[in-house]
């Protein structure tokens, strides 16, 4: 895949440890903002059983539905197939391939936090996703 061609969409992979909060919110925002112009994936190095329900509630407040999402395991193929890999606290678990664009977003983990503490994380993620979209479309 190439982000410089018009015949293929760029692919973005969001990665965090549990693939239950930050990466799911980022993927939800990217789908909502970019529509079908960008392929969106998310995964975790140690995926949880389900998406963080407080993250789901926080996204619902801004009309982005992530209810049907399921945490997925990070695979080498997922990284290989992405044009942009955005990591959020997954440490060294994410394989690195030459020619990929990597961004590491330092964000607080919403796990175990109340909704009022997840809202600023959600809003930070939204701003970062909006900036990312401007570089891809």
């Amino acid at each position: 895949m190439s982000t410089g061609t018009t015949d293929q969409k760029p692919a973005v992979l969001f990665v965090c440890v549990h693939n239950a909060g930050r990466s799911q919110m980022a993927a939800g925002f990217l789908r909502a903002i970019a529509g079908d112009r960008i392929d969106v994936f998310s995964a975790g190095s140690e995926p949880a059983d389900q998406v963080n329900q407080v993250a789901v509630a926080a996204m619902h407040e801004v009309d982005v539905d992530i209810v049907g999402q399921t945490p997925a395991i990070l695979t080498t193929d997922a990284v290989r197939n992405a044009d942009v890999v955005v990591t959020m606290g997954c440490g060294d678990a994410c394989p690195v391939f030459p020619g990929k664009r990597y961004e590491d977003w330092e964000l607080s983990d919403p796990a175990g936090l109340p909704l009022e503490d997840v809202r600023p994380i959600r809003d930070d993620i939204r701003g970062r996703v909006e900036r990312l979209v401007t570089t891809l479309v």
Side-chain angles (χ1 to χ4, degrees):
M1 287 181 194
S2 171
T3 56
T5 63
T6 57
D7 59 337
Q8 289 187 322
K9 297 185 277 187
V12 177
L13 172 65
F14 294 104
V15 182
C16 67
V17 176
H18 299 296
N19 190 219
R22 296 167 287 187
S23 56
Q24 292 287 353
M25 289 191 286
F29 275 129
L30 186 53
R31 285 184 194 101
I33 293 166
D36 63 356
R37 297 176 295 167
I38 298 173
D39 287 330
V40 183
F41 305 95
S42 68
S45 53
E46 299 173 22
D49 294 332
Q50 64 180 15
V51 174
N52 179 329
Q53 292 306 299
V54 179
V56 170
M59 295 298 284
H60 180 74
E61 290 182 342
V62 293
D63 296 322
V64 177
D65 183 6
I66 60 171
V67 169
Q69 301 303 313
T70 304
I73 186 74
L74 175 64
T75 65
T76 301
D77 283 344
V79 177
R80 185 178 290 120
N81 293 329
D83 296 298
V84 180
V85 179
V86 178
T87 58
M88 306 171 185
C90 69
D92 296 330
C94 190
V96 176
F97 292 101
K100 301 281 176 209
R101 175 175 156 192
Y102 290 87
E103 292 190 16
D104 184 44
W105 293 356
E106 290 190 25
L107 298 160
S108 297
D109 188 345
L113 297 178
L115 183 58
E116 58 268 17
D117 292 341
V118 174
R119 287 180 182 125
I121 299 168
R122 173 203 62 204
D123 296 344
D124 186 4
I125 291 170
R126 178 184 216 151
R128 290 169 188 252
V129 168
E130 288 170 345
R131 289 187 293 278
L132 177 64
V133 168
T134 65
T135 69
L136 296 175
V137 294

